Amino acid sequence: MQQLTDLVARARADADGIGGSPASRVIPIQPALPLTASEGEVARILQICNACRYCEGFCAVFPAMTRRLEFGKADTHYLANLCHNCGSCLHACQYAPPHEFAVNVPQAMAQVRLQTYHDYAWPPVMGALYKKAGLTVALALAGGLALFLVLAVAMSGSLLHDPLAGNFYAIFPHNFLALVFGAVFLFVMFALAMGTRRFWREVSPANDPGNAPDLPAAHDALRLKYLGGGHGEGCNNDDDRFTLWRRRFHHFTFYGFMLCFASTCVATLYHYLFDLHAPYALTSLPVLLGTAGGVGLAIGPVGLLWLNLRRHAAHGDAAQRPMDRGFIALLLLTSLTGLALLAWRDTRFMALLLAVHLGVVMALFLTLPYGKFAHGIFRCAALLKFAIEKRLPSRLRLGAD
C-alpha cells in the first residue's frame, strides 16, 4: 500500500512540474500567456482534433498539431496562418455544428489570422487599418488618389491632348514617378518585413536548431499545395462539393501580379542599364510581360470575387470579407486600368487614363501592408516553419522508453 501511495505522489509531482528530471516532466496543459477569445476557441478546437485525428492527412495544420499537447498564443498564430481555409476538414468532421462540440476549424482559424495581421502590423498603430480595409475604403482611396492626379494633370492643361505616341513621361516626368513610387515601394517592403520578422520571432524562437531556409516550403507555397484539400480534388466553396477553381484563380492572381512586377523590373533595367527609354513597342519584353500579367490579374480577381460571393458562411470569417473584396477590387482595377492605358496610349485620352491608373496603383501599394496581401507573406512564413519543424524529431516523445 505504501508503494502505491509513493507512486501516486511521484506522479502528481511530475504532473505539476516540480519533481523528477526536466525531460520527464509532463507538458503543462494551461498555456503560458492569456489567450483572446478567438485564440481560446482555436485552442479548444485543436484539443478535440488532437484526440480525434481523422483529418491528419488533410493539410499541414494537422501534422503540425500532433506535435503539441497544448496550444498557446504563438501556436494558435502559427497554425492559423498555416491553414489555407480549404474547408475540407469542416465537411469531414463528425463534431462540426450542429454537434455540441461545434468544431469549425476554418472559421476559428480565419478569426485568429485576422488578429495576427493586426498584432504584427508595423508600425503597430497601423494595425487598426486591417479592420477598416474594406471594399468601400479601397474604392474611396483609389478614387481619391485618381481624382487628385486627374486634377493635377488638368491644371497643367494636358488632360486632353494631341497623341503623344504613348510617351507617359510627357505627362509625369520619369524622375518624379521613380521617386514617389520608389519611396512607397520601399516603405511597403520594410513594413511587411518588420511584421513578418515579429511573427517569425514569436512562432520560431531564435534557439530553434532548425532555423534555416527550406526549398520544399517555397515549392509548396508557389504551387498552393494545400488548396488541393489534402486529396488533390480541391476546396469546398458554397457546399461540400470539391472544386479546384479557388486554387486556379489564386494562381492567375499571384503569377499575374508577379509578371506585372517583372515587367516593371525589366523596364527599369532597360532605362538605367541599357539606356532604352519608354515608350516600348508592343512586342518588347516589358510590354509582353505586362500584358500577360494584366490578363492574369484580371482573370484571377474576377474568379476569386465570384467564389467569395458564393462562399458558404461556415467556411470562414464573415468579418474578413470586406477586406478580401477590397483587395480583390484594387487588383482588378489595377489590371483593367493598365490594359486600357496600353490599348489607348496613342490617343488623346492617354493622360486621363494614366492619371487614373497611377491613382489605383498607388492605392494598391499603400494598402498592401495593411490588407489581405499580408496573408501570403505570413502563410509563407508558416509553411517555412512547418518544413523546418517536420525535419526535427518530435519533442513530445510519447510512448518513448
Side-chain angles (χ1 to χ4, degrees), residues 267-278 280:
T268 302
L269 290 176
Y270 275 18
H271 185 91
Y272 289 106
L273 189 61
F274 302 113
D275 200 29
L276 298 174
H277 298 181
Y280 301 112

Side-chain angles (χ1 to χ4, degrees), residues 29-59:
I29 298 301
Q30 295 298 324
L33 295 174
L35 304 181
T36 64
S38 56
E39 292 167 348
E41 177 63 6
V42 167
R44 180 191 74 86
I45 286 175
L46 291 180
Q47 291 281 2
I48 297 172
C49 293
N50 222 354
C52 174
R53 301 196 178 186
Y54 178 81
C55 300
E56 189 170 353
F58 274 29
C59 71

Side-chain angles (χ1 to χ4, degrees), residues 219-220 222-235 243-255 304 307:
H219 184 256
D220 291 345
L222 291 174
R223 68 187 184 99
L224 300 176
K225 173 182 177 180
Y226 296 110
L227 284 183
H231 38 62
E233 297 179 11
C235 301
T243 174
L244 285 169
W245 282 112
R246 185 162 174 255
R247 183 178 184 177
R248 292 165 181 161
F249 288 137
H250 269 89
H251 272 132
F252 272 112
T253 302
F254 174 74
Y255 288 107
L304 290 176
L307 292 176

